[in-house]
Amino acid sequence: MKRWAIGSIAFFAAIFFGTVFTVGLVKVSDLITYSDGFDPQYVQAIETPAPDTPSTSIDLPAIFNPTIDYAKTLPVKLLFPGEFHFDEVPYRSGERWLGLFRERDETILKWTTIDIKRGKDPILQDTEVSVRNSSSAIFLLKGAKELQLGNVDTMFDAEDHADFTIDDCSDLRSSFRIRGSFWRLCNENSYGNGFPKKSSSLNLSGPAFDPVSLTSLPDDCDDCSWKLVWVGDLDNDSRPDFLIDVSSHYNSYEPTLFLSSKDYAVYASFHGVGC
């Protein structure tokens, strides 16, 4: 009796497990067959929220400090061909300066010699600066020992873009491309058309670079405007350098060179006033 019972149990157990194995094998076969005919179009896309537009507001202090007389305190001096007041040009004829020159379709940094003609009336712009053997200098530098002579990539020259204005940051323009990367200069909280107002900030952003404020106006200005003079790779580090007039008064000008290899610190500056 015991042998019969044990045999019966073993017989039915074998049938049960055999059925389960067979059904499982059929399911796996169906799954393999289905996967061979897999169509990715039937897979529902995983929706992710669109990234918010990054804020252009910058909490850090501006790099340019209007209370500092950079023209006197910095070791590198900045100068331009043109007419100035006597005390704005404390230099002499015959001095050697580095000059950035327009030559045909190129921009070249090379040594040059300046000439200065002095006038007698301190009220008038009676001091003339010129460069020997050339009339195409964009700007001049003295004491810029780390810069290399030769061709300089130029992205912007104000002489070719007389009507250019620095756009408001909400306009998503004023971009400059250098070796495949885009850098953006914009005026946060402006009147538009390049005119800043109280709390305006001139912001610079680029790839893998924390945005910075080059200059700002905590207080209002007297009908001033920030003007872009030149953009190019002066220090040959594949990032743009900016020469910008950051004056806060309509009757003055303060072209200032922000150098990328110095983390956009003020590299050289010039201050002058009108008549």
Side-chain angles (χ1 to χ4, degrees):
M1 180 67 180
K2 290 182 179 180
R3 291 181 178 178
W4 180 86
I6 293 173
S8 298
I9 292 172
F11 174 76
F12 285 110
I15 293 177
F16 173 77
F17 286 112
T19 302
V20 171
F21 176 78
T22 302
V23 172
L25 183 61
V26 172
K27 294 293 185 181
V28 171
S29 299
D30 290 343
L31 180 60
I32 295 173
T33 302
Y34 175 76
S35 66
D36 289 340
F38 176 74
D39 188 349
Q41 294 182 354
Y42 288 100
V43 178
Q44 184 176 3
I46 299 175
E47 295 184 2
T48 57
D52 295 331
T53 302
S55 172
T56 54
S57 299
I58 298 174
D59 296 330
L60 297 176
I63 291 174
F64 179 85
N65 185 342
T67 65
I68 298 176
D69 190 345
Y70 292 104
K72 291 184 178 180
T73 59
L74 289 177
V76 180
K77 306 304 178 183
L78 178 65
L79 189 60
F80 302 85
E83 295 180 349
F84 307 94
H85 294 287
F86 180 88
D87 58 349
E88 295 168 355
V89 187
Y91 312 114
R92 298 179 180 179
S93 290
E95 293 181 355
R96 294 190 73 207
W97 288 59
L98 279 177
L100 186 66
F101 293 89
R102 308 177 187 94
E103 293 190 0
R104 298 181 182 179
D105 295 330
E106 297 180 328
T107 310
I108 298 177
L109 186 67
K110 63 182 183 180
W111 286 106
T112 189
T113 303
I114 64 171
D115 281 321
I116 297 178
K117 294 181 180 180
R118 301 291 187 184
K120 297 181 179 181
D121 190 340
I123 299 177
L124 300 177
Q125 290 178 306
D126 61 351
T127 299
E128 181 181 354
V129 178
S130 60
V131 178
R132 295 180 186 178
N133 303 322
S134 179
S135 59
S136 60
I138 303 174
F139 59 85
L140 306 165
L141 292 170
K142 183 179 182 180
K145 299 178 180 179
E146 63 269 60
L147 299 181
Q148 298 179 0
L149 303 179
N151 289 348
V152 173
D153 289 341
T154 292
M155 282 119 261
F156 176 89
D157 186 344
E159 185 174 273
D160 301 325
H161 305 277
D163 298 328
F164 178 86
T165 58
I166 301 174
D167 293 317
D168 189 85
C169 289
S170 62
D171 292 339
L172 300 177
R173 293 180 291 178
S174 294
S175 295
F176 302 93
R177 180 177 180 177
I178 176 170
R179 296 181 179 89
S181 298
F182 286 91
W183 294 71
R184 183 166 176 245
L185 181 71
C186 63
N187 191 340
E188 177 75 16
N189 189 36
S190 72
Y191 286 118
N193 295 324
F195 290 94
K197 60 182 178 180
K198 184 177 180 179
S199 300
S200 288
S201 176
L202 188 60
N203 297 346
L204 175 66
S205 59
F209 172 79
D210 292 333
V212 296
S213 171
L214 299 181
T215 188
S216 63
L217 282 176
D219 301 315
D220 209 347
C221 67
D222 191 352
D223 195 24
C224 64
S225 63
W226 291 329
K227 299 181 179 68
L228 188 61
V229 181
W230 179 85
V231 181
D233 190 8
L234 187 66
D235 51 14
N236 197 30
D237 68 347
S238 299
R239 296 187 296 171
D241 307 300
F242 293 84
L243 180 61
I244 308 171
D245 184 353
V246 295
S247 173
S248 58
H249 193 279
Y250 74 92
N251 194 39
S252 68
Y253 45 96
E254 197 155 5
T256 299
L257 183 60
F258 299 90
L259 205 66
S260 58
S261 57
K262 304 294 184 182
D263 292 329
Y264 290 102
V266 176
Y267 185 66
S269 186
F270 181 90
H271 180 76
V273 296
C275 298

